[in-house]
Amino acid sequence: MNLEYALHASGQNQIEYIRQARIEFNQAVSVEENENKILALAGLSMCQSLLGDKANASVTCDMISQVELS
């Protein structure tokens, strides 16, 4: 939902919604498995990129290939 809110917000409010989404995706990465973990990593990478953290966005994106599907 935070990314949806960020889509319609502007300025500092938009940044805060993206930061909150990053926190929640980061939490999801630690508990999810399979396709849900892939989606959490993709969301985290997108948030990192939107916040200007291109290096970590790339690292997070690379982690997707390491997810083992059961």
Side-chain angles (χ1 to χ4, degrees), residues 29-42:
V29 166
S30 65
V31 297
E32 295 294 348
E33 297 179 354
N34 299 312
E35 291 87 355
N36 287 340
K37 185 167 191 161
I38 291 170
L39 292 172
L41 286 165

Side-chain angles (χ1 to χ4, degrees), residues 7-18:
L7 183 64
H8 302 288
S10 61
Q12 191 60 33
N13 286 332
Q14 187 176 49
I15 298 300
E16 290 303 318
Y17 283 123
I18 296 170

